[in-house]
Amino acid sequence: MKRCLVDRWMIVALGSLALMACASEDEAPPAPPNGEEPLQLLTYPYHRDEPKASATASIPAESPFFRDGERHVGVAVSADRLEEPGYAQTVAAQFNQVIAENEMKWEAIEPEPGVFDFTRADAIVSFARDNGMQVRGHTLVWHSQLPAWVEALTGADAVREAMTRHIQTVVAHYRDTFPGIVVAWDVVNEALNVMQGQMGGMVVYRDSVFYRELGEGFIAEAFQIARATDPDALLFYNDFGVEGTLGAKSTGTYDMLSALVAAGVPVDGMGFQMHTGPLDQGPNADDFAANVARYEALGLQVEVTEMDVTLCAVGGNVLGFELQRYRFNRILGACFASPACRSISLWGLADPNSWLNDTGCVQGMLVLDTEPAPLAFDAAYQRKPAWWGVYDALNGCTYQ
Ligand code: G3I
């Protein structure tokens, strides 16, 4: 793999220098001796001649690399935001895959039993089709964002009937209305949980109406129904906290996927959500690569499905932005190094769009004076250093 001459300590050093440069911005530069050019202090942003973000939105030029047709770089979007031209144009120009952040979830698409409303989800899929993009369907069976009527179901027959109708109707709708656009489904999302208090935690099936009434078999059933409905779509299990090889949940998830594969359940891939921070841990990139390798050995595809890198702990200063770039690059480089990884997705376009803003930066009872700023574009839809971390990873250039 191609390696780039960027390492973490260089970023720390450059970041510190830039911080000093910013701190001394108001001071007049020393007069150059003998008419020489004055020393150019490092100022932010300094990477690749990108224009400094301005209050006025201007759309970065199309990134042909993100449209190479072989690998997909996706972004979670909302139907409402796609009505804003700057947002829509940036998504269309910079990505070749979208995910509905909320519009394909059960509560949005089947709010009442058997009553399906595809309006907002279809707006996203139409946008993708019209801009030559593909879609990851998110998500069919999940304990969260379920309508109250599903939560209230009792008895295996009622739950099985509702789950079957939901999967069949949603998958068939996209198979028939937008052929070839929704290429993958997160069939089951976040089915495992860790019970703390045990040594290292103990992995259990997460409490949900599906598990309560159908037992663990609901997972295999969901995949079988999805495969029978659209044999061409890739079918994923998707979860968080399982990105590295370490810990009870990671082990439990790997064991569960191994068992599903061994039993011939039609699962095609493992989605690692990757909601993470800027330090090389939880997992570190090498451990993530090891995890990717063991899923690849099972014959599964892997994807990074929801990546964001919160800056709560380090702040949105130049050092934080550089650490964020490093983190995006190392993780996505590790994924793309595997032939099993052909698609990665970011969980939102621009920093103000992130779900992490709902809680902001809090630590226990403390509200920190920082912002998550976890994505690759800023409020003016300008590329952040993080974008270049993604770009370099796609380009086979992984920082050391
Ligand atoms: O539905 C109401 C709507 O009626 C109301 O107008 C609006 C006002 O704020 O709130 C709407 O509900 C919000 C919903 O998103 C739709 O916008 C909820 O309050 C909000 O909690 C919900 O958050 C979503 C979250 O999933 C729910 O669990 C986030 O936007 C979404 O980014 C997040 O995504 C999940 C993935 O699906 C699975 N992996 C984890 C990831 C992050 O939590």
Side-chain angles (χ1 to χ4, degrees), residues 101-102 105 138 142 144-145 189-190 273 275 306 347 355:
E101 186 172 354
N102 288 297
K105 292 171 180 174
H138 176 81
W142 188 28
S144 181
Q145 287 178 284
N189 198 41
E190 301 171 8
Q273 294 187 9
H275 298 288
E306 305 184 11
W347 204 243
W355 69 290

Side-chain angles (χ1 to χ4, degrees), residues 193-204 247-252:
N193 204 0
V194 174
M195 268 173 60
Q196 300 300 341
Q198 311 287 326
M199 184 86 90
M202 191 176 82
V203 71
V204 293
K249 189 171 175 185
S250 287
T251 304

